[in-house]
Amino acid sequence: MAKNDYCVIGLGRFGTEVANQLNKMGKSVMAIDKNPDLIQKASKIHEVAIVCDASDLNSLAETGVTGIGTIIVAISSIESSIMVCANLRELGLKDIIAKAINNVHKRVLKTMGISRVVIPEIEIAGRVAFQALFNLGVDIVSIGSGFSWVKATLSNKIILNKTLSELNIRNKYDATIMMIQRQGQIIFPPSSETKFELGDVVTFMCHDSKINNILKFFTRDDNLK
């Protein structure tokens, strides 16, 4: 498999969803689990699906996992998760994303050199809290230090056909436009001459205190002031 492909180890609800989302994005996924029934289901979707107890170093090495670019460890058992991550590190793999059950589990994985550790329930709770806080059905993800990534659909007709330079969003709203999705295409990064179209899905980064203002800017129907 190519270096830019992915391996998901552990096909519980979280691991299966991650693997399936990657597949929908056009990525090849190696799925690994010690449960034959889960692997049988995965084999109908993914390019490679292997029955393997990844806590066994030799068995894991035989899967060819060392040829994968990014490994996602989605195992719920803390003991098994730690053992699998230790094996991956021993095999020389560095680009590892691991699921943690709690903060103690997260700290242990961090000390092992796993730089990207997520606690799904906490991250989802944070997103729901942000959406509730701003009372808007948009995607908001906190990135720390008082800043967030926000994704919103443009409906303000006054903005149409104006360039980013003309709108001066960075100075007016202290926000940076990172990406624009338009009819299945991605504009990344947008230039100062990029113009907006109705229905554009705009991803931007801004300070939490400015989120409401810029969301109104993108979604309101009245005239710009």
Side-chain angles (χ1 to χ4, degrees):
M1 295 179 74
K3 276 289 185 181
N4 61 343
D5 287 341
Y6 298 81
C7 174
V8 177
I9 303 176
L11 298 180
R13 183 175 298 178
F14 175 73
T16 297
E17 185 62 28
V18 170
N20 290 348
Q21 288 295 328
L22 287 169
N23 178 263
K24 289 178 182 178
M25 295 173 188
K27 303 300 181 181
S28 296
V29 176
M30 174 190 284
I32 295 177
D33 198 286
K34 62 182 179 181
N35 186 324
D37 293 335
L38 294 177
I39 289 300
Q40 184 177 10
K41 292 178 182 178
S43 66
K44 298 176 182 178
I45 301 173
H46 303 294
E47 187 173 313
V48 181
I50 301 173
V51 178
C52 171
D53 181 357
S55 63
D56 181 273
L57 179 61
N58 292 329
S59 297
L60 182 59
E62 289 174 0
T63 65
V65 71
T66 53
I68 307 298
T70 300
I71 315 298
I72 300 163
V73 180
I75 299 172
S76 296
S77 165
I78 294 177
E79 181 180 358
S80 296
S81 168
I82 292 171
M83 291 178 66
V84 170
C85 286
N87 286 343
L88 291 170
R89 294 291 289 156
E90 187 166 341
L91 290 171
L93 291 158
K94 297 179 180 180
D95 192 2
I96 303 168
I97 303 171
K99 169 189 173 182
I101 302 303
N102 51 42
N103 285 323
V104 174
H105 186 193
K106 181 176 182 177
R107 285 200 299 272
V108 172
L109 294 176
K110 286 282 190 179
T111 61
M112 294 171 59
I114 310 300
S115 58
R116 292 190 284 173
V117 183
V118 298
I119 304 177
E121 294 80 3
I122 292 179
E123 297 207 4
I124 292 172
R127 293 185 68 175
V128 172
F130 262 87
Q131 290 178 358
L133 176 64
F134 294 101
N135 196 30
L136 289 165
V138 297
D139 288 333
I140 303 175
V141 180
S142 173
I143 56 176
S145 301
F147 287 86
S148 294
W149 291 95
V150 184
K151 182 187 291 186
T153 301
L154 189 148
S155 60
N156 186 353
K157 295 179 181 179
I158 302 299
I159 300 175
L160 304 185
N161 296 318
K162 293 190 176 181
T163 66
L164 286 177
S165 178
E166 290 173 327
L167 292 170
N168 199 21
I169 292 172
R170 179 171 293 181
N171 290 330
K172 287 183 178 179
Y173 297 97
D174 196 22
T176 300
I177 306 299
M178 308 301 296
M179 179 176 68
I180 299 171
Q181 294 168 269
R182 177 180 298 160
Q183 298 178 353
Q185 296 184 332
I186 294 177
I187 301 172
F188 175 82
S191 72
S192 60
E193 297 305 308
T194 297
K195 295 182 179 181
F196 287 112
E197 294 183 8
L198 200 64
D200 282 351
V201 178
V202 184
T203 300
F204 57 89
M205 182 181 70
C206 71
H207 194 273
D208 293 343
S209 63
K210 304 293 181 65
I211 291 177
N212 269 329
N213 289 338
I214 192 168
L215 284 175
K216 290 177 182 177
F217 172 75
F218 280 117
T219 61
R220 71 190 184 190
D221 293 325
D222 57 333
N223 293 330
L224 286 174
K225 295 180 180 179

